[in-house]
Amino acid sequence: MAEERKLTTRAEDFSAWYNEVVLRAELADYSPVRGCMVIRPDGFGIWERMQRALDDAFKATGHRNAYFPLFIPEGFLHREAEHVKGFAPEMAVVTHGGGKRLDEPLVVRPTSETIIYAMFAKWVHSYRDLPLLINQWANVVRWEMRTRLFLRTLEFLWQEGHTAHVTHDEAEAEARSILVLYRDFMDEWMAMPVVTGQKTESERFAGALRTYSCEAMMQDNKALQAGTSHNLGQNFSRAFDLTFQTESGGSDHAWNTSWGVSTRLIGGLVMTHGDDRGLRIPPLLAPTEVVIVPIWRSDSDRVRVLEAAGRICQSLGSWERREPNRLRIHLDARDTLKPGAKYYEWELRGVPIRLELGPRDLEKNQAVLVRRDTGAKTPASLDTLGEDIEQLLETIQGSMLETARARREEHSVRGAITYDRFREIMNDEGAFVYAGWCGSAACEAKIKDETKATIRVLPDEEFRSAERPGRCLCCDEVATAEALWAKAY
RNA sequence: CGGGACGUAGCGCAGUCCGGUAGCGCACCUGAAUGGGGUUCAGGGGGUCGCGGGUUCAAAUCCCGCCGUCCCGACCA
């Protein structure tokens, strides 16, 4: 009977395991519309914490939030040739409104470059108006053929930053600094280590000069693009007449960047940290950091334990060092479930710390703290509970990052490698392979065709192998770059 | 759009080959006991068997058509 309730283990079938965890932990659900997703409160709670952290970071670097329309005139998309080519196949188009056929169809935004730069053109007149640093929290629609909860849905929530600058270098610096901001967020908040780097021409954002990306490794050794930042050059400025008067009195097109992360991050979080018991949420993003499971035998015990648990909630929730952000603590006082059943449930939901409190603990003036990530149990004195929990949460956060990083490194291959060996690795377990590339799209395509692996990025200096491979993985020509190869989501 | 599988209670499934009262587990409701790792017992509610047509005394089951979902390809944050 207990067997039946067990999760599919990750090793058996990673996809099935992922779906099962997302659904059973109640992060999301399928909607009546195929390919769309309902984000449930538990999932949205994680997103809200991500939003807050990112929003603070954007504000701290001078960006401000604004909102632009959901509908974009179809003609706008066509003004940038590359852009429309990239997005046309996945656009949802509104042809009727108010019962009448529209003169010009409206595209439901797949991304907002066009409408935003059309507005920027009205707002920017002088170099003094620059840089213009705007962010938008919004939903977008991309009509994907195959969807997957959180990772690829027809509609998704995201944040898209759009900026305009006086010079190329300034825009480039912005795109790079946002990439670092993303990486820090993924490291420090999500405990999900990422490789940063530049996309190849074939993987570049439609209409961009250069695209930078954060790539995370999932537990099936596939790569997940977790965030992107683009230097758009003057392509959109030209298309939308975004000009300004320069300091010397001339006229110039502004330089743009755009960048975004989406609810896909939640999928990445699940696939990075989840285990065979369910979700593991890093403390900083956990909607609930601590769950108290009270234990009692008799009615009098029940009263005593619940009273003590209530006191803990009150004092920790208002613990002075946490003000105004109280410790996010939940008391599971349900008397319909045995403690054991509660343990399984909260483990599935990924709450970082479980606090067990029973009559025996009260006698010893202690509680038992159980880590979700390692399962380790330690008693803690009720007198120092706040400090101990705070300490433990920090430990868990750091330890989860280290575990994920170690896992990634364990499945990374650096240095010279033969094509046969590469194919073997890709067909076997999969891995992040750092290997030479001649720079030709032909080789890139050939490898993708033969191994299903793709170039994810040309990694930043710090992620490259110490010894640069001299030869292209594919054609054996002299390599002009080292690329990160992996199978990808 | 090509290849494969499936559609039966909220969820997971059996029953279909070989037509004959619509079942099981979980969840849910009521009551009692239980309570430091998925409690037990007793009772109970819930299904136009994806939709439409055909064959038959009789269809979840056989035949035809349609719809939908999932998986694998091409596409993608």
Side-chain angles (χ1 to χ4, degrees), chain A residues 434-453:
Chain A
Y434 300 80
W437 177 48
C438 67
S440 82
C443 282
E444 190 183 347
K446 180 177 176 227
I447 291 185
K448 187 171 183 180
D449 194 46
E450 290 181 359
T451 66
K452 306 284 179 240

Side-chain angles (χ1 to χ4, degrees), chain A residues 146-197:
Chain A
R146 277 176 62 195
T147 59
R148 204 142 150 44
L149 291 172
F150 285 116
L151 299 186
R152 189 174 300 105
T153 48
L154 294 196
E155 180 195 1
F156 57 94
L157 302 181
W158 76 346
Q159 146 281 310
E160 50 180 325
H162 294 273
T163 67
H165 306 264
V166 173
T167 65
H168 166 274
D169 289 357
E170 203 184 302
E172 179 67 17
E174 165 78 3
R176 295 295 313 205
S177 86
I178 291 294
L179 188 73
V180 171
L181 185 157
Y182 282 159
R183 190 183 76 195
D184 289 350
F185 169 75
M186 291 166 196
D187 276 6
E188 291 165 20
W189 288 76
M190 298 179 67
M192 181 175 82
V194 291
V195 178
T196 55

Side-chain angles (χ1 to χ4, degrees), chain A residues 236-373:
Chain A
F236 286 91
S237 276
R238 291 203 192 91
F240 290 92
D241 218 14
L242 171 45
T243 57
F244 65 95
Q245 201 160 7
T246 62
E247 200 169 354
S248 57
S251 174
D252 200 1
H253 289 286
W255 297 79
N256 298 117
T257 78
S258 72
W259 27 275
V261 296
S262 73
T263 38
R264 166 179 265 201
L265 289 179
I266 299 172
L269 197 73
V270 174
M271 295 179 113
T272 299
H273 298 302
D275 63 15
D276 289 337
R277 292 174 167 232
L279 230 49
R280 296 193 311 164
I281 310 176
L284 288 175
L285 292 177
T288 301
E289 292 163 295
V290 181
V291 61
I292 301 182
V293 178
I295 293 148
W296 63 77
R297 207 174 288 249
S298 64
D299 275 355
S300 63
D301 280 349
R302 179 174 180 277
V303 171
R304 280 173 57 224
V305 169
L306 284 182
E307 248 174 28
R311 276 199 304 276
I312 290 172
C313 276
Q314 203 133 46
S315 72
L316 292 191
S318 64
W319 189 39
E320 66 274 14
R321 276 168 60 198
R322 304 277 311 187
E323 290 285 351
N325 294 321
R326 300 174 147 215
L327 189 62
R328 298 184 297 281
I329 189 163
H330 173 73
L331 170 60
D332 186 352
R334 290 176 293 179
D335 48 14
T336 48
L337 288 180
K338 286 175 72 174
K342 294 179 184 177
Y343 297 168
Y344 279 93
E345 183 177 325
W346 293 110
E347 280 167 2
L348 174 67
R349 289 168 187 259
V351 174
I353 294 179
R354 178 174 79 237
L355 188 156
E356 301 178 0
L357 190 70
R360 296 210 297 265
D361 295 311
L362 288 184
E363 276 155 32
K364 289 188 266 183
N365 190 46
Q366 67 165 37
V368 177
L369 300 181
V370 186
R371 287 174 62 164
R372 173 62 181 90
D373 61 331

Side-chain angles (χ1 to χ4, degrees), chain A residues 178-233:
Chain A
I178 291 294
L179 188 73
V180 171
L181 185 157
Y182 282 159
R183 190 183 76 195
D184 289 350
F185 169 75
M186 291 166 196
D187 276 6
E188 291 165 20
W189 288 76
M190 298 179 67
M192 181 175 82
V194 291
V195 178
T196 55
Q198 190 179 334
K199 288 281 190 188
T200 63
E201 200 169 324
S202 65
E203 300 256 320
R204 207 178 53 198
F205 176 78
L209 211 58
R210 280 185 287 280
T211 289
Y212 300 103
S213 160
C214 298
E215 299 289 335
M217 181 193 271
M218 305 293 99
Q219 288 184 67
D220 57 356
N221 300 338
K222 282 186 177 176
L224 180 76
Q225 180 172 311
T228 49
S229 179
H230 318 289
N231 182 341
L232 301 176

Side-chain angles (χ1 to χ4, degrees), chain A residues 105-119:
Chain A
L106 296 172
V107 173
V108 182
R109 62 181 165 218
T111 178
S112 304
E113 273 76 8
T114 55
I115 187 115
I116 289 182
Y117 298 132
M119 295 311 295

Side-chain angles (χ1 to χ4, degrees), chain A residues 1 13 80 99 107 110 128-129 209 307 332-333 349 380 455:
Chain A
M1 220 192 302
D13 182 345
E80 216 291 333
V107 173
R128 291 198 182 91
D129 297 325
L209 211 58
E307 248 174 28
D332 186 352
R349 289 168 187 259
I455 297 186

